Amino acid sequence: MNATTRDDAALVQAYLTHVRVEKRLAERTVALYTLDLEKLVANATAAGLPLRSVQSPHIRRWVAHMHSGGRSARGIALILSGWRGLYVWLGRQGLMDHNPVQDVRAPKAGKPLPKALGVDDAVQLAGYEHEADDPMLETRDRCITELLYGCGLRIGELVGLDVVASAQARGWIDAEAGEAHVLGKGAKRRSVPVGRAALVALAAWLAARSAWPQEDPALFISARGQRLTPQHIRVRLKRRSMLAGLTTPVHPHMLRHSFASHVLQSSGDLRAVQELLGHASISTTQVYTRLDFQHLAQVYDAAHPRAQARGGSSAEPATDEPGAARPCSPTTPNR
């Protein structure tokens, strides 16, 4: 170990003592900082630089190397945070006149796709009947599921629905017109079409609801006549999805995502989906185009004889011999 490396190691140890003793960071955090700073020292040593001579271009080069090596954007961001903290401390000690990490950012992390059910799973959940359940609860829960999936409502919009329209109502359903009127984000009202299956479920629930206390004007109430809370609906929907045999527990917003994805798959009309969801900006709705492409890619992989070539595996022979698989066009199931 040369003098420069020994000096750098001493600086790192002094900083780690600072975060452990003065900042009182958890031992696990200090251990992660240690690993990240060892990586920084190794990079600087390989470049023939003492830590205090590192410049922003060096940091960017090391970030690019980590990224190309498969390190996630989040992982790189955490490493940069540790490096940045060291240089902030060195500056406060009067040992640095600049922070080479200050203006360096990790690669942009891709936004995770919202979770959406496949069409078959969504239909299975909506049409599921649990014979052993209380008939009233089953009727109510089925109506809730049909409205969440059939209209793409937010959970707050659903619990805000009243049985009849009024000046005080946050929302209601006009069954004759086949429309749900809801109060969305930003206190913005919108109307959403209600499908035939949801209207049938609504009529069944309204007929059953009359047997419960009528003090609360809410459309969806408990056996004691009180408006259901979002948490109550989350618990009931999760239970319903597990009883229906779905592999993934379903939450209300997943049905909203499923509604948007399935409408876009069938129509291709992004503006219409924006209006149905009540999004103020089209950019918010554009995430569903990624879901739509994901669906198309799955159809392609399942239907095209040469789809595996995309993954690097050997392609099917191109000969047109008898019995050989012939290319076919990916198709989208009817919705």
Side-chain angles (χ1 to χ4, degrees), residues 113-117 125 144-145 148-149 153-155 230-231 233-242 246 248-258:
L113 289 173
K115 294 181 180 179
L117 295 174
L125 177 64
I144 287 172
T145 306
L148 286 172
Y149 175 55
L153 300 184
R154 299 180 177 94
I155 182 65
Q231 182 58 25
I233 291 177
R234 291 188 187 98
V235 171
R236 295 294 301 182
L237 186 58
K238 179 180 179 180
R239 174 180 180 271
R240 182 181 180 86
S241 66
M242 301 310 290
L246 272 64
T248 302
V250 175
H251 55 80
H253 221 65
M254 188 183 293
L255 290 181
R256 178 171 161 87
H257 293 320
S258 303

PDB file of all heavy atoms in Angstrom, residues 113-117 125 144-145 148-149 153-155 230-231 233-242 246 248-258:
ATOM      1  N   LEU A 113     -44.212  -0.600 -14.360  1.00  0.00           N
ATOM      2  CA  LEU A 113     -45.552  -0.650 -14.939  1.00  0.00           C
ATOM      3  C   LEU A 113     -46.583  -0.909 -13.851  1.00  0.00           C
ATOM      4  O   LEU A 113     -46.349  -1.680 -12.927  1.00  0.00           O
ATOM      5  CB  LEU A 113     -45.632  -1.772 -15.981  1.00  0.00           C
ATOM      6  CG  LEU A 113     -44.882  -1.564 -17.287  1.00  0.00           C
ATOM      7  CD1 LEU A 113     -44.944  -2.842 -18.114  1.00  0.00           C
ATOM      8  CD2 LEU A 113     -45.446  -0.406 -18.067  1.00  0.00           C
ATOM      9  N   PRO A 114     -47.733  -0.254 -13.942  1.00  0.00           N
ATOM     10  CA  PRO A 114     -48.795  -0.578 -12.987  1.00  0.00           C
ATOM     11  C   PRO A 114     -49.243  -2.021 -13.192  1.00  0.00           C
ATOM     12  O   PRO A 114     -49.233  -2.535 -14.308  1.00  0.00           O
ATOM     13  CB  PRO A 114     -49.910   0.412 -13.355  1.00  0.00           C
ATOM     14  CG  PRO A 114     -49.634   0.808 -14.760  1.00  0.00           C
ATOM     15  CD  PRO A 114     -48.142   0.768 -14.916  1.00  0.00           C
ATOM     16  N   LYS A 115     -49.608  -2.659 -12.101  1.00  0.00           N
ATOM     17  CA  LYS A 115     -50.031  -4.059 -12.192  1.00  0.00           C
ATOM     18  C   LYS A 115     -51.460  -4.138 -12.704  1.00  0.00           C
ATOM     19  O   LYS A 115     -52.354  -3.487 -12.172  1.00  0.00           O
ATOM     20  CB  LYS A 115     -49.917  -4.716 -10.822  1.00  0.00           C
ATOM     21  CG  LYS A 115     -48.478  -4.843 -10.328  1.00  0.00           C
ATOM     22  CD  LYS A 115     -48.426  -5.521  -8.968  1.00  0.00           C
ATOM     23  CE  LYS A 115     -46.989  -5.648  -8.490  1.00  0.00           C
ATOM     24  NZ  LYS A 115     -46.901  -6.280  -7.149  1.00  0.00           N
ATOM     25  N   ALA A 116     -51.647  -4.929 -13.739  1.00  0.00           N
ATOM     26  CA  ALA A 116     -52.979  -5.104 -14.316  1.00  0.00           C
ATOM     27  C   ALA A 116     -53.244  -6.593 -14.491  1.00  0.00           C
ATOM     28  O   ALA A 116     -52.337  -7.379 -14.767  1.00  0.00           O
ATOM     29  CB  ALA A 116     -53.081  -4.382 -15.661  1.00  0.00           C
ATOM     30  N   LEU A 117     -54.489  -6.967 -14.337  1.00  0.00           N
ATOM     31  CA  LEU A 117     -54.887  -8.350 -14.557  1.00  0.00           C
ATOM     32  C   LEU A 117     -55.025  -8.628 -16.045  1.00  0.00           C
ATOM     33  O   LEU A 117     -55.311  -7.727 -16.837  1.00  0.00           O
ATOM     34  CB  LEU A 117     -56.230  -8.625 -13.877  1.00  0.00           C
ATOM     35  CG  LEU A 117     -56.276  -8.534 -12.354  1.00  0.00           C
ATOM     36  CD1 LEU A 117     -57.722  -8.685 -11.885  1.00  0.00           C
ATOM     37  CD2 LEU A 117     -55.402  -9.595 -11.722  1.00  0.00           C
ATOM     38  N   LEU A 125     -62.704 -12.863 -11.925  1.00  0.00           N
ATOM     39  CA  LEU A 125     -62.920 -12.216 -10.635  1.00  0.00           C
ATOM     40  C   LEU A 125     -64.301 -11.554 -10.576  1.00  0.00           C
ATOM     41  O   LEU A 125     -65.018 -11.678  -9.580  1.00  0.00           O
ATOM     42  CB  LEU A 125     -61.833 -11.169 -10.387  1.00  0.00           C
ATOM     43  CG  LEU A 125     -61.964 -10.357  -9.099  1.00  0.00           C
ATOM     44  CD1 LEU A 125     -61.838 -11.261  -7.879  1.00  0.00           C
ATOM     45  CD2 LEU A 125     -60.919  -9.245  -9.057  1.00  0.00           C
ATOM     46  N   ILE A 144     -69.429  -4.167  -6.373  1.00  0.00           N
ATOM     47  CA  ILE A 144     -68.221  -3.357  -6.193  1.00  0.00           C
ATOM     48  C   ILE A 144     -67.176  -3.725  -7.236  1.00  0.00           C
ATOM     49  O   ILE A 144     -66.569  -2.859  -7.883  1.00  0.00           O
ATOM     50  CB  ILE A 144     -67.664  -3.553  -4.766  1.00  0.00           C
ATOM     51  CG1 ILE A 144     -68.553  -2.841  -3.751  1.00  0.00           C
ATOM     52  CG2 ILE A 144     -66.226  -3.042  -4.670  1.00  0.00           C
ATOM     53  CD1 ILE A 144     -68.188  -3.129  -2.306  1.00  0.00           C
ATOM     54  N   THR A 145     -66.971  -5.018  -7.428  1.00  0.00           N
ATOM     55  CA  THR A 145     -65.971  -5.485  -8.392  1.00  0.00           C
ATOM     56  C   THR A 145     -66.335  -5.080  -9.809  1.00  0.00           C
ATOM     57  O   THR A 145     -65.473  -4.625 -10.582  1.00  0.00           O
ATOM     58  CB  THR A 145     -65.829  -7.021  -8.309  1.00  0.00           C
ATOM     59  OG1 THR A 145     -65.563  -7.403  -6.957  1.00  0.00           O
ATOM     60  CG2 THR A 145     -64.692  -7.515  -9.203  1.00  0.00           C
ATOM     61  N   LEU A 148     -65.652  -1.266 -10.219  1.00  0.00           N
ATOM     62  CA  LEU A 148     -64.224  -0.925 -10.247  1.00  0.00           C
ATOM     63  C   LEU A 148     -63.608  -1.312 -11.589  1.00  0.00           C
ATOM     64  O   LEU A 148     -62.852  -0.538 -12.186  1.00  0.00           O
ATOM     65  CB  LEU A 148     -63.493  -1.629  -9.104  1.00  0.00           C
ATOM     66  CG  LEU A 148     -63.730  -1.076  -7.697  1.00  0.00           C
ATOM     67  CD1 LEU A 148     -63.092  -1.997  -6.655  1.00  0.00           C
ATOM     68  CD2 LEU A 148     -63.154   0.339  -7.565  1.00  0.00           C
ATOM     69  N   TYR A 149     -63.930  -2.518 -12.054  1.00  0.00           N
ATOM     70  CA  TYR A 149     -63.356  -2.980 -13.325  1.00  0.00           C
ATOM     71  C   TYR A 149     -64.110  -2.421 -14.528  1.00  0.00           C
ATOM     72  O   TYR A 149     -63.510  -2.089 -15.548  1.00  0.00           O
ATOM     73  CB  TYR A 149     -63.366  -4.508 -13.371  1.00  0.00           C
ATOM     74  CG  TYR A 149     -62.899  -5.069 -14.693  1.00  0.00           C
ATOM     75  CD1 TYR A 149     -61.650  -4.721 -15.232  1.00  0.00           C
ATOM     76  CD2 TYR A 149     -63.701  -5.940 -15.429  1.00  0.00           C
ATOM     77  CE1 TYR A 149     -61.219  -5.229 -16.442  1.00  0.00           C
ATOM     78  CE2 TYR A 149     -63.279  -6.454 -16.643  1.00  0.00           C
ATOM     79  CZ  TYR A 149     -62.039  -6.087 -17.151  1.00  0.00           C
ATOM     80  OH  TYR A 149     -61.627  -6.589 -18.360  1.00  0.00           O
ATOM     81  N   LEU A 153     -63.105   3.156 -11.800  1.00  0.00           N
ATOM     82  CA  LEU A 153     -63.214   4.142 -10.727  1.00  0.00           C
ATOM     83  C   LEU A 153     -62.059   4.028  -9.746  1.00  0.00           C
ATOM     84  O   LEU A 153     -61.517   2.944  -9.504  1.00  0.00           O
ATOM     85  CB  LEU A 153     -64.525   3.950  -9.962  1.00  0.00           C
ATOM     86  CG  LEU A 153     -65.831   4.074 -10.753  1.00  0.00           C
ATOM     87  CD1 LEU A 153     -67.011   3.938  -9.806  1.00  0.00           C
ATOM     88  CD2 LEU A 153     -65.899   5.394 -11.507  1.00  0.00           C
ATOM     89  N   ARG A 154     -61.671   5.155  -9.179  1.00  0.00           N
ATOM     90  CA  ARG A 154     -60.760   5.157  -8.036  1.00  0.00           C
ATOM     91  C   ARG A 154     -61.546   4.685  -6.814  1.00  0.00           C
ATOM     92  O   ARG A 154     -62.765   4.828  -6.737  1.00  0.00           O
ATOM     93  CB  ARG A 154     -60.204   6.553  -7.777  1.00  0.00           C
ATOM     94  CG  ARG A 154     -59.391   7.143  -8.921  1.00  0.00           C
ATOM     95  CD  ARG A 154     -58.889   8.538  -8.542  1.00  0.00           C
ATOM     96  NE  ARG A 154     -58.049   9.135  -9.579  1.00  0.00           N
ATOM     97  CZ  ARG A 154     -58.492   9.948 -10.525  1.00  0.00           C
ATOM     98  NH1 ARG A 154     -59.787  10.266 -10.559  1.00  0.00           N
ATOM     99  NH2 ARG A 154     -57.670  10.456 -11.425  1.00  0.00           N
ATOM    100  N   ILE A 155     -60.828   4.175  -5.818  1.00  0.00           N
ATOM    101  CA  ILE A 155     -61.498   3.680  -4.621  1.00  0.00           C
ATOM    102  C   ILE A 155     -62.248   4.807  -3.914  1.00  0.00           C
ATOM    103  O   ILE A 155     -63.359   4.616  -3.421  1.00  0.00           O
ATOM    104  CB  ILE A 155     -60.474   3.010  -3.665  1.00  0.00           C
ATOM    105  CG1 ILE A 155     -61.168   2.434  -2.433  1.00  0.00           C
ATOM    106  CG2 ILE A 155     -59.379   3.977  -3.261  1.00  0.00           C
ATOM    107  CD1 ILE A 155     -62.104   1.318  -2.718  1.00  0.00           C
ATOM    108  N   PRO A 230     -62.549   2.747   2.449  1.00  0.00           N
ATOM    109  CA  PRO A 230     -61.631   2.160   1.456  1.00  0.00           C
ATOM    110  C   PRO A 230     -60.935   0.905   1.979  1.00  0.00           C
ATOM    111  O   PRO A 230     -60.774  -0.070   1.236  1.00  0.00           O
ATOM    112  CB  PRO A 230     -60.640   3.293   1.201  1.00  0.00           C
ATOM    113  CG  PRO A 230     -61.420   4.545   1.458  1.00  0.00           C
ATOM    114  CD  PRO A 230     -62.308   4.196   2.614  1.00  0.00           C
ATOM    115  N   GLN A 231     -60.538   0.912   3.242  1.00  0.00           N
ATOM    116  CA  GLN A 231     -59.854  -0.258   3.791  1.00  0.00           C
ATOM    117  C   GLN A 231     -60.759  -1.473   3.821  1.00  0.00           C
ATOM    118  O   GLN A 231     -60.315  -2.602   3.540  1.00  0.00           O
ATOM    119  CB  GLN A 231     -59.339   0.058   5.204  1.00  0.00           C
ATOM    120  CG  GLN A 231     -58.565  -1.080   5.868  1.00  0.00           C
ATOM    121  CD  GLN A 231     -57.359  -1.520   5.055  1.00  0.00           C
ATOM    122  OE1 GLN A 231     -56.810  -0.752   4.258  1.00  0.00           O
ATOM    123  NE2 GLN A 231     -56.944  -2.754   5.245  1.00  0.00           N
ATOM    124  N   ILE A 233     -63.138  -2.175   1.762  1.00  0.00           N
ATOM    125  CA  ILE A 233     -63.256  -2.683   0.393  1.00  0.00           C
ATOM    126  C   ILE A 233     -61.980  -3.389  -0.033  1.00  0.00           C
ATOM    127  O   ILE A 233     -62.025  -4.421  -0.715  1.00  0.00           O
ATOM    128  CB  ILE A 233     -63.601  -1.522  -0.566  1.00  0.00           C
ATOM    129  CG1 ILE A 233     -65.035  -1.039  -0.277  1.00  0.00           C
ATOM    130  CG2 ILE A 233     -63.465  -1.961  -2.023  1.00  0.00           C
ATOM    131  CD1 ILE A 233     -65.473   0.137  -1.100  1.00  0.00           C
ATOM    132  N   ARG A 234     -60.820  -2.863   0.368  1.00  0.00           N
ATOM    133  CA  ARG A 234     -59.552  -3.522   0.028  1.00  0.00           C
ATOM    134  C   ARG A 234     -59.509  -4.942   0.601  1.00  0.00           C
ATOM    135  O   ARG A 234     -59.086  -5.886  -0.081  1.00  0.00           O
ATOM    136  CB  ARG A 234     -58.373  -2.703   0.553  1.00  0.00           C
ATOM    137  CG  ARG A 234     -58.152  -1.384  -0.164  1.00  0.00           C
ATOM    138  CD  ARG A 234     -56.852  -0.726   0.278  1.00  0.00           C
ATOM    139  NE  ARG A 234     -56.728   0.609  -0.283  1.00  0.00           N
ATOM    140  CZ  ARG A 234     -57.026   1.727   0.364  1.00  0.00           C
ATOM    141  NH1 ARG A 234     -57.445   1.673   1.627  1.00  0.00           N
ATOM    142  NH2 ARG A 234     -56.897   2.902  -0.210  1.00  0.00           N
ATOM    143  N   VAL A 235     -59.918  -5.077   1.846  1.00  0.00           N
ATOM    144  CA  VAL A 235     -59.904  -6.392   2.492  1.00  0.00           C
ATOM    145  C   VAL A 235     -60.862  -7.353   1.791  1.00  0.00           C
ATOM    146  O   VAL A 235     -60.516  -8.510   1.511  1.00  0.00           O
ATOM    147  CB  VAL A 235     -60.277  -6.252   3.982  1.00  0.00           C
ATOM    148  CG1 VAL A 235     -60.489  -7.631   4.619  1.00  0.00           C
ATOM    149  CG2 VAL A 235     -59.185  -5.491   4.727  1.00  0.00           C
ATOM    150  N   ARG A 236     -62.057  -6.880   1.471  1.00  0.00           N
ATOM    151  CA  ARG A 236     -63.051  -7.743   0.818  1.00  0.00           C
ATOM    152  C   ARG A 236     -62.609  -8.139  -0.597  1.00  0.00           C
ATOM    153  O   ARG A 236     -62.796  -9.285  -1.012  1.00  0.00           O
ATOM    154  CB  ARG A 236     -64.406  -7.024   0.754  1.00  0.00           C
ATOM    155  CG  ARG A 236     -65.058  -6.752   2.092  1.00  0.00           C
ATOM    156  CD  ARG A 236     -65.465  -8.015   2.817  1.00  0.00           C
ATOM    157  NE  ARG A 236     -66.410  -8.827   2.042  1.00  0.00           N
ATOM    158  CZ  ARG A 236     -66.935  -9.967   2.484  1.00  0.00           C
ATOM    159  NH1 ARG A 236     -66.588 -10.435   3.680  1.00  0.00           N
ATOM    160  NH2 ARG A 236     -67.790 -10.644   1.745  1.00  0.00           N
ATOM    161  N   LEU A 237     -61.992  -7.209  -1.324  1.00  0.00           N
ATOM    162  CA  LEU A 237     -61.566  -7.511  -2.686  1.00  0.00           C
ATOM    163  C   LEU A 237     -60.401  -8.493  -2.686  1.00  0.00           C
ATOM    164  O   LEU A 237     -60.339  -9.403  -3.519  1.00  0.00           O
ATOM    165  CB  LEU A 237     -61.175  -6.218  -3.410  1.00  0.00           C
ATOM    166  CG  LEU A 237     -60.843  -6.342  -4.896  1.00  0.00           C
ATOM    167  CD1 LEU A 237     -62.023  -6.929  -5.664  1.00  0.00           C
ATOM    168  CD2 LEU A 237     -60.466  -4.985  -5.476  1.00  0.00           C
ATOM    169  N   LYS A 238     -59.475  -8.313  -1.758  1.00  0.00           N
ATOM    170  CA  LYS A 238     -58.357  -9.257  -1.652  1.00  0.00           C
ATOM    171  C   LYS A 238     -58.881 -10.657  -1.345  1.00  0.00           C
ATOM    172  O   LYS A 238     -58.447 -11.647  -1.947  1.00  0.00           O
ATOM    173  CB  LYS A 238     -57.395  -8.800  -0.560  1.00  0.00           C
ATOM    174  CG  LYS A 238     -56.207  -9.743  -0.353  1.00  0.00           C
ATOM    175  CD  LYS A 238     -55.287  -9.230   0.735  1.00  0.00           C
ATOM    176  CE  LYS A 238     -54.115 -10.188   0.951  1.00  0.00           C
ATOM    177  NZ  LYS A 238     -53.200  -9.706   2.022  1.00  0.00           N
ATOM    178  N   ARG A 239     -59.827 -10.743  -0.408  1.00  0.00           N
ATOM    179  CA  ARG A 239     -60.424 -12.035  -0.063  1.00  0.00           C
ATOM    180  C   ARG A 239     -61.105 -12.652  -1.271  1.00  0.00           C
ATOM    181  O   ARG A 239     -60.944 -13.855  -1.549  1.00  0.00           O
ATOM    182  CB  ARG A 239     -61.436 -11.831   1.069  1.00  0.00           C
ATOM    183  CG  ARG A 239     -62.255 -13.065   1.445  1.00  0.00           C
ATOM    184  CD  ARG A 239     -63.220 -12.718   2.570  1.00  0.00           C
ATOM    185  NE  ARG A 239     -64.027 -13.872   2.969  1.00  0.00           N
ATOM    186  CZ  ARG A 239     -65.182 -14.202   2.421  1.00  0.00           C
ATOM    187  NH1 ARG A 239     -65.690 -13.439   1.428  1.00  0.00           N
ATOM    188  NH2 ARG A 239     -65.858 -15.265   2.841  1.00  0.00           N
ATOM    189  N   ARG A 240     -61.845 -11.851  -2.020  1.00  0.00           N
ATOM    190  CA  ARG A 240     -62.569 -12.355  -3.187  1.00  0.00           C
ATOM    191  C   ARG A 240     -61.600 -12.897  -4.241  1.00  0.00           C
ATOM    192  O   ARG A 240     -61.841 -13.945  -4.837  1.00  0.00           O
ATOM    193  CB  ARG A 240     -63.426 -11.235  -3.780  1.00  0.00           C
ATOM    194  CG  ARG A 240     -64.283 -11.645  -4.980  1.00  0.00           C
ATOM    195  CD  ARG A 240     -65.081 -10.465  -5.504  1.00  0.00           C
ATOM    196  NE  ARG A 240     -65.907 -10.836  -6.642  1.00  0.00           N
ATOM    197  CZ  ARG A 240     -67.127 -11.359  -6.548  1.00  0.00           C
ATOM    198  NH1 ARG A 240     -67.654 -11.575  -5.365  1.00  0.00           N
ATOM    199  NH2 ARG A 240     -67.813 -11.669  -7.643  1.00  0.00           N
ATOM    200  N   SER A 241     -60.491 -12.182  -4.454  1.00  0.00           N
ATOM    201  CA  SER A 241     -59.532 -12.612  -5.473  1.00  0.00           C
ATOM    202  C   SER A 241     -58.870 -13.935  -5.101  1.00  0.00           C
ATOM    203  O   SER A 241     -58.612 -14.779  -5.968  1.00  0.00           O
ATOM    204  CB  SER A 241     -58.467 -11.531  -5.682  1.00  0.00           C
ATOM    205  OG  SER A 241     -57.664 -11.353  -4.530  1.00  0.00           O
ATOM    206  N   MET A 242     -58.601 -14.136  -3.816  1.00  0.00           N
ATOM    207  CA  MET A 242     -57.980 -15.390  -3.404  1.00  0.00           C
ATOM    208  C   MET A 242     -58.981 -16.547  -3.500  1.00  0.00           C
ATOM    209  O   MET A 242     -58.627 -17.649  -3.925  1.00  0.00           O
ATOM    210  CB  MET A 242     -57.457 -15.256  -1.968  1.00  0.00           C
ATOM    211  CG  MET A 242     -56.431 -14.144  -1.780  1.00  0.00           C
ATOM    212  SD  MET A 242     -55.059 -14.184  -2.989  1.00  0.00           S
ATOM    213  CE  MET A 242     -54.185 -15.655  -2.446  1.00  0.00           C
ATOM    214  N   LEU A 246     -57.269 -16.573  -8.114  1.00  0.00           N
ATOM    215  CA  LEU A 246     -56.254 -15.766  -8.778  1.00  0.00           C
ATOM    216  C   LEU A 246     -54.932 -15.905  -8.022  1.00  0.00           C
ATOM    217  O   LEU A 246     -54.913 -15.996  -6.786  1.00  0.00           O
ATOM    218  CB  LEU A 246     -56.674 -14.292  -8.837  1.00  0.00           C
ATOM    219  CG  LEU A 246     -57.517 -13.894 -10.062  1.00  0.00           C
ATOM    220  CD1 LEU A 246     -58.856 -14.622 -10.059  1.00  0.00           C
ATOM    221  CD2 LEU A 246     -57.740 -12.389 -10.077  1.00  0.00           C
ATOM    222  N   THR A 248     -52.574 -13.694  -7.799  1.00  0.00           N
ATOM    223  CA  THR A 248     -52.143 -12.422  -7.238  1.00  0.00           C
ATOM    224  C   THR A 248     -53.278 -11.776  -6.461  1.00  0.00           C
ATOM    225  O   THR A 248     -54.382 -11.640  -6.996  1.00  0.00           O
ATOM    226  CB  THR A 248     -51.702 -11.450  -8.355  1.00  0.00           C
ATOM    227  OG1 THR A 248     -50.647 -12.048  -9.106  1.00  0.00           O
ATOM    228  CG2 THR A 248     -51.215 -10.127  -7.775  1.00  0.00           C
ATOM    229  N   PRO A 249     -53.038 -11.388  -5.203  1.00  0.00           N
ATOM    230  CA  PRO A 249     -54.083 -10.658  -4.467  1.00  0.00           C
ATOM    231  C   PRO A 249     -54.409  -9.362  -5.195  1.00  0.00           C
ATOM    232  O   PRO A 249     -53.512  -8.635  -5.619  1.00  0.00           O
ATOM    233  CB  PRO A 249     -53.427 -10.388  -3.109  1.00  0.00           C
ATOM    234  CG  PRO A 249     -52.329 -11.393  -2.993  1.00  0.00           C
ATOM    235  CD  PRO A 249     -51.840 -11.618  -4.382  1.00  0.00           C
ATOM    236  N   VAL A 250     -55.683  -9.078  -5.347  1.00  0.00           N
ATOM    237  CA  VAL A 250     -56.117  -7.916  -6.131  1.00  0.00           C
ATOM    238  C   VAL A 250     -56.495  -6.773  -5.195  1.00  0.00           C
ATOM    239  O   VAL A 250     -57.157  -6.983  -4.181  1.00  0.00           O
ATOM    240  CB  VAL A 250     -57.319  -8.292  -7.029  1.00  0.00           C
ATOM    241  CG1 VAL A 250     -57.860  -7.054  -7.758  1.00  0.00           C
ATOM    242  CG2 VAL A 250     -56.902  -9.360  -8.030  1.00  0.00           C
ATOM    243  N   HIS A 251     -56.049  -5.575  -5.541  1.00  0.00           N
ATOM    244  CA  HIS A 251     -56.457  -4.378  -4.820  1.00  0.00           C
ATOM    245  C   HIS A 251     -57.257  -3.486  -5.774  1.00  0.00           C
ATOM    246  O   HIS A 251     -57.182  -3.651  -7.004  1.00  0.00           O
ATOM    247  CB  HIS A 251     -55.254  -3.626  -4.243  1.00  0.00           C
ATOM    248  CG  HIS A 251     -54.208  -3.265  -5.259  1.00  0.00           C
ATOM    249  ND1 HIS A 251     -54.319  -2.186  -6.102  1.00  0.00           N
ATOM    250  CD2 HIS A 251     -53.021  -3.850  -5.565  1.00  0.00           C
ATOM    251  CE1 HIS A 251     -53.256  -2.115  -6.887  1.00  0.00           C
ATOM    252  NE2 HIS A 251     -52.458  -3.109  -6.582  1.00  0.00           N
ATOM    253  N   PRO A 252     -58.028  -2.536  -5.241  1.00  0.00           N
ATOM    254  CA  PRO A 252     -58.923  -1.744  -6.110  1.00  0.00           C
ATOM    255  C   PRO A 252     -58.221  -1.050  -7.269  1.00  0.00           C
ATOM    256  O   PRO A 252     -58.750  -1.038  -8.388  1.00  0.00           O
ATOM    257  CB  PRO A 252     -59.529  -0.724  -5.130  1.00  0.00           C
ATOM    258  CG  PRO A 252     -59.531  -1.431  -3.822  1.00  0.00           C
ATOM    259  CD  PRO A 252     -58.264  -2.234  -3.808  1.00  0.00           C
ATOM    260  N   HIS A 253     -57.038  -0.478  -7.045  1.00  0.00           N
ATOM    261  CA  HIS A 253     -56.390   0.261  -8.129  1.00  0.00           C
ATOM    262  C   HIS A 253     -55.910  -0.677  -9.237  1.00  0.00           C
ATOM    263  O   HIS A 253     -55.748  -0.251 -10.381  1.00  0.00           O
ATOM    264  CB  HIS A 253     -55.226   1.089  -7.587  1.00  0.00           C
ATOM    265  CG  HIS A 253     -55.131   2.449  -8.200  1.00  0.00           C
ATOM    266  ND1 HIS A 253     -56.094   3.423  -8.031  1.00  0.00           N
ATOM    267  CD2 HIS A 253     -54.197   2.997  -9.021  1.00  0.00           C
ATOM    268  CE1 HIS A 253     -55.749   4.510  -8.698  1.00  0.00           C
ATOM    269  NE2 HIS A 253     -54.610   4.275  -9.316  1.00  0.00           N
ATOM    270  N   MET A 254     -55.692  -1.942  -8.906  1.00  0.00           N
ATOM    271  CA  MET A 254     -55.315  -2.901  -9.939  1.00  0.00           C
ATOM    272  C   MET A 254     -56.452  -3.076 -10.942  1.00  0.00           C
ATOM    273  O   MET A 254     -56.215  -3.246 -12.150  1.00  0.00           O
ATOM    274  CB  MET A 254     -54.950  -4.241  -9.309  1.00  0.00           C
ATOM    275  CG  MET A 254     -54.358  -5.242 -10.301  1.00  0.00           C
ATOM    276  SD  MET A 254     -54.018  -6.855  -9.536  1.00  0.00           S
ATOM    277  CE  MET A 254     -52.704  -6.415  -8.416  1.00  0.00           C
ATOM    278  N   LEU A 255     -57.683  -3.008 -10.465  1.00  0.00           N
ATOM    279  CA  LEU A 255     -58.820  -3.115 -11.378  1.00  0.00           C
ATOM    280  C   LEU A 255     -58.945  -1.865 -12.243  1.00  0.00           C
ATOM    281  O   LEU A 255     -59.358  -1.946 -13.401  1.00  0.00           O
ATOM    282  CB  LEU A 255     -60.106  -3.349 -10.591  1.00  0.00           C
ATOM    283  CG  LEU A 255     -60.223  -4.723  -9.927  1.00  0.00           C
ATOM    284  CD1 LEU A 255     -61.541  -4.860  -9.185  1.00  0.00           C
ATOM    285  CD2 LEU A 255     -60.070  -5.846 -10.953  1.00  0.00           C
ATOM    286  N   ARG A 256     -58.592  -0.717 -11.695  1.00  0.00           N
ATOM    287  CA  ARG A 256     -58.570   0.508 -12.507  1.00  0.00           C
ATOM    288  C   ARG A 256     -57.516   0.399 -13.609  1.00  0.00           C
ATOM    289  O   ARG A 256     -57.767   0.752 -14.760  1.00  0.00           O
ATOM    290  CB  ARG A 256     -58.289   1.714 -11.606  1.00  0.00           C
ATOM    291  CG  ARG A 256     -58.182   3.054 -12.325  1.00  0.00           C
ATOM    292  CD  ARG A 256     -58.121   4.164 -11.276  1.00  0.00           C
ATOM    293  NE  ARG A 256     -57.590   5.421 -11.784  1.00  0.00           N
ATOM    294  CZ  ARG A 256     -58.315   6.367 -12.377  1.00  0.00           C
ATOM    295  NH1 ARG A 256     -59.604   6.178 -12.578  1.00  0.00           N
ATOM    296  NH2 ARG A 256     -57.754   7.493 -12.771  1.00  0.00           N
ATOM    297  N   HIS A 257     -56.341  -0.110 -13.256  1.00  0.00           N
ATOM    298  CA  HIS A 257     -55.298  -0.321 -14.265  1.00  0.00           C
ATOM    299  C   HIS A 257     -55.761  -1.324 -15.321  1.00  0.00           C
ATOM    300  O   HIS A 257     -55.500  -1.153 -16.521  1.00  0.00           O
ATOM    301  CB  HIS A 257     -54.012  -0.842 -13.607  1.00  0.00           C
ATOM    302  CG  HIS A 257     -53.341   0.148 -12.711  1.00  0.00           C
ATOM    303  ND1 HIS A 257     -53.239   1.489 -13.017  1.00  0.00           N
ATOM    304  CD2 HIS A 257     -52.708  -0.010 -11.520  1.00  0.00           C
ATOM    305  CE1 HIS A 257     -52.588   2.106 -12.046  1.00  0.00           C
ATOM    306  NE2 HIS A 257     -52.262   1.226 -11.132  1.00  0.00           N
ATOM    307  N   SER A 258     -56.432  -2.375 -14.874  1.00  0.00           N
ATOM    308  CA  SER A 258     -56.906  -3.399 -15.814  1.00  0.00           C
ATOM    309  C   SER A 258     -57.925  -2.810 -16.772  1.00  0.00           C
ATOM    310  O   SER A 258     -57.897  -3.082 -17.981  1.00  0.00           O
ATOM    311  CB  SER A 258     -57.527  -4.568 -15.032  1.00  0.00           C
ATOM    312  OG  SER A 258     -56.588  -5.106 -14.121  1.00  0.00           O
TER     313      SER A 258
END
